[in-house]
Amino acid sequence: MDFVKSWTVSVCLTLIISVVFSLISPKGTMGRFYKVIISVFIFISFIYPLTDFDFSEFSSDFRIESDYENTQENMTEIQVEGIIKNILTENGIENTRVSCTVSQNGDEISIDSIEVAVPPNYNAEEVQKLLFDSAGVAADVTCFGQELNPFTFGIAKADMLIRGGDPDNMQFGDTLDDDKFEGYQFDYCISNPPFGIDWKREAAAVEAEHKKGPAGRFGPGLPSKSDGQMLFLLTAISKMKEPKDGGSRIAIIHNGSPLFTGDAGSGPSEIRRYILENDLLEAIIALPNDIFYNTGIATYIWVLSNKKAGTRREGKVQLINANGLYEKRRKALGNKRNDIPESAIAEITRLYGDFVESEISKIFDTADFGYTKITVERPLKDENGQPVLKKGKPQPDTALRDTENVPLKENIQTYFEREVLPFAPDAWIDEKKSKVGYEIPFTRYFYKYEAPKLSAEIMQEILAIESELDGALAEVSEA
């Protein structure tokens, strides 16, 4: 009876909503768009009673901001973490990881934030509510979103309605040239932008906003027009709350190009420079290949936060190579041949939460990704082999001009004397051409050398293949 009742209510609500949409639907393209939405509602009305629609498990970690203060001098982060763990254990929630940030001003201690990671078999929203209730804190989660694809937008709008949210918080439009949430700031931003899609159509609006500098979303720099995914990254950053207001955290998926494309001084490099020099990057997680339906390329989750100051992550970036943490699907779905099992999700979460180095987790200073690109000049010489001088200064030979990337942590002159002068004693640095750049060569840090096979072993393999081919050819000739 419960199922029949649920199904009946769902269908009736859908019919009412469909009639309303039909009455307000315009003709033409937008009319077809509304029909898509109606179709989505009808589809959901039939499948909704058959499912639990538990969307909470897509995220199993959350953060609680608190103004709670305690004047006991012995109230440490470890003690706060212990109290939280005891609350969870008493309610039957095991194997959690808790970390908090505590600041002290004289004898006054403030608990700034508490971060909890729960195993995937627990409902993160229920655990969060439990802790809020225990602390006497009332919290509401409000979702917002923008989508350009009409079909995806229709599904997202329906999802918002089903979950009791405000459907007006889901907006239709192009994020790059029509930001529906201009001026908004959010606690969390999650984004999966398109890879390798050009932004030529939005170029005028994007370039105009870039000229606004810090007043616009794209002030730090512009990527190549052939790939606009870093513009979505800058959009998310522009939505972050100020640290004094609680700050924000971002999770965004990119392919490999935002890690290293662009030379020093280029748009992509300047965007990375802005992120790293402002200490916004917490971690980058390399995902397994072949986990998306429409592409098998390597993908990475960038985790950003402006709440690192005063924590163990301050000035640090964690790289996690989860490329091998997957299981093969029994049957491929398009390009999706692999899944990330719950055990792998738990391991990735543990590595991120523990913030320690291992075989697949490495921690760097933000400056480790920076370099100064210097221009090395050699003198132009006349037919007698003598340097050509102008106002007493040797003129550079453009044919012999070269560049070197000097790590930011290294003294440029020391590097030059060690790496250049022994091979070109007459060289000098044109300091006016020096530029600072940033890149994150992720795969280089996790590269493992594999010794080549011995020549004798290779010869045996070749002989074995030849023997197989000879047998096959003999069978063909006999036939």
Side-chain angles (χ1 to χ4, degrees):
M1 291 299 296
D2 290 340
F3 167 77
V4 174
K5 182 179 179 182
S6 176
W7 186 85
T8 303
V9 171
S10 180
V11 170
C12 288
L13 287 173
T14 299
L15 290 175
I16 293 171
I17 295 171
S18 299
V19 170
V20 173
F21 270 116
S22 298
L23 293 174
I24 64 173
S25 296
K27 295 182 179 180
T29 301
M30 286 307 295
R32 291 192 294 272
F33 166 67
Y34 277 102
K35 289 179 182 178
V36 170
I37 295 179
I38 294 171
S39 300
V40 171
F41 276 121
I42 295 173
F43 173 71
I44 291 176
S45 72
F46 282 93
I47 67 169
Y48 177 65
L50 304 176
T51 63
D52 292 328
F53 277 84
D54 186 4
F55 293 94
S56 62
E57 292 187 6
F58 85 95
S59 175
S60 59
D61 68 290
F62 53 88
R63 194 174 182 91
I64 302 171
E65 301 298 334
S66 173
D67 294 325
Y68 176 77
E69 296 180 352
N70 193 300
T71 56
Q72 299 178 8
E73 293 185 30
N74 61 349
M75 178 63 76
T76 65
E77 293 181 353
I78 295 176
Q79 286 178 306
V80 175
E81 292 167 4
I83 292 170
I84 298 297
K85 280 195 172 184
N86 287 337
I87 294 173
L88 297 174
T89 302
E90 289 171 1
N91 287 272
I93 302 172
E94 305 285 351
N95 300 319
T96 59
R97 286 183 303 282
V98 181
S99 62
C100 70
T101 303
V102 175
S103 58
Q104 183 171 356
N105 183 12
D107 292 339
E108 189 176 85
I109 295 177
S110 300
I111 302 173
D112 301 320
S113 66
I114 302 170
E115 190 168 345
V116 182
V118 298
N121 55 311
Y122 293 106
N123 186 308
E125 291 181 358
E126 292 178 1
V127 176
Q128 178 171 294
K129 185 178 184 301
L130 170 66
L131 292 177
F132 278 136
D133 291 343
S134 300
V137 178
D140 293 320
V141 177
T142 306
C143 296
F144 297 79
Q146 183 168 345
E147 176 57 49
L148 179 61
N149 182 287
F151 184 73
T152 308
F153 168 72
I155 293 175
K157 193 91 163 178
D159 175 38
M160 191 78 79
L161 284 166
I162 290 171
R163 300 181 64 186
D166 185 350
D168 290 336
N169 290 348
M170 178 55 63
Q171 293 289 318
F172 179 76
D174 191 328
T175 300
L176 300 185
D177 66 0
D178 186 19
D179 182 9
K180 299 295 186 180
F181 299 102
E182 183 177 359
Y184 281 62
Q185 292 181 324
F186 302 101
D187 297 291
Y188 297 93
C189 294
I190 301 173
S191 181
N192 181 13
F195 307 149
I197 302 299
D198 70 70
W199 50 279
K200 295 175 183 177
R201 188 179 68 82
E202 301 93 342
V206 170
E207 289 170 352
E209 192 163 354
H210 169 64
K211 293 178 181 178
K212 295 179 181 179
R217 291 174 291 170
F218 311 126
L222 295 178
S224 166
K225 279 194 174 69
S226 62
D227 188 358
Q229 58 184 302
M230 294 188 85
L231 295 175
F232 290 89
L233 175 60
L234 289 175
T235 297
I237 292 173
S238 73
K239 307 297 183 185
M240 300 179 87
K241 291 184 175 180
E242 292 292 329
K244 63 181 177 62
D245 297 324
S248 303
R249 177 166 282 122
I250 297 168
I252 184 168
I253 297 180
H254 289 302
N255 63 13
S257 64
L259 293 170
F260 52 79
T261 55
D263 201 359
S266 68
S269 179
E270 287 298 290
I271 294 172
R272 290 189 293 270
R273 180 178 183 178
Y274 175 82
I275 291 171
L276 290 163
E277 290 189 352
N278 285 279
D279 201 15
L280 296 177
L281 186 59
E282 277 195 349
I284 297 178
I285 303 159
L287 299 175
N289 293 356
D290 301 323
I291 61 171
F292 291 96
Y293 298 106
N294 57 352
T295 181
I297 62 175
T299 52
Y300 303 81
I301 298 177
W302 290 46
V303 182
L304 296 92
S305 171
N306 58 357
K307 300 183 279 189
K308 294 169 64 178
T311 72
R312 58 184 176 172
R313 290 185 181 272
E314 183 174 6
K316 304 289 184 181
V317 176
Q318 182 180 16
L319 303 183
I320 299 175
N321 182 21
N323 188 259
L325 300 182
Y326 67 90
E327 61 183 15
K328 283 286 185 182
R329 292 185 59 86
R330 184 177 60 83
K331 184 178 180 181
L333 293 174
N335 288 310
K336 183 175 176 61
R337 299 178 179 86
N338 299 323
D339 287 324
I340 305 177
E342 297 291 351
S343 58
I345 294 173
E347 175 64 8
I348 296 169
T349 306
R350 183 191 66 79
L351 289 168
Y352 171 76
D354 291 348
F355 192 60
V356 294
E357 291 203 332
S358 69
E359 186 177 358
I360 62 172
S361 172
K362 297 185 183 297
I363 299 172
F364 299 89
D365 295 332
T366 55
D368 288 333
F369 305 114
Y371 63 91
T372 302
K373 182 179 179 180
I374 62 173
T375 300
V376 179
E377 301 284 14
R378 302 281 300 280
L380 178 67
K381 297 181 179 181
D382 59 23
E383 61 274 11
N384 298 319
Q386 297 300 313
V388 175
L389 302 178
K390 186 176 182 180
K391 295 183 180 180
K393 294 182 179 180
Q395 296 303 294
D397 186 344
T398 56
L400 298 177
R401 181 175 293 160
D402 199 2
T403 59
E404 294 277 342
N405 289 343
V406 183
L408 280 185
K409 286 185 172 182
E410 188 162 354
N411 179 273
I412 293 176
Q413 189 60 36
T414 302
Y415 177 96
F416 183 70
E417 292 174 358
R418 185 185 71 243
E419 301 292 339
V420 178
L421 290 183
F423 311 99
D426 55 358
W428 72 91
I429 301 173
D430 186 346
E431 296 182 355
K432 293 181 180 179
K433 292 187 173 72
S434 295
K435 295 180 180 179
V436 173
Y438 281 84
E439 64 177 6
I440 306 172
F442 194 103
T443 54
R444 183 194 305 170
Y445 296 125
F446 294 96
Y447 172 75
K448 288 184 178 179
Y449 172 76
E450 294 183 4
K453 295 180 180 180
L454 297 174
S455 57
E457 185 179 350
I458 297 174
M459 179 57 69
Q460 289 299 322
E461 291 179 357
I462 293 173
L463 292 174
I465 294 172
E466 286 182 347
S467 178
E468 292 177 7
L469 289 174
D470 288 342
L473 290 173
E475 290 177 5
V476 171
S477 60
E478 290 176 0

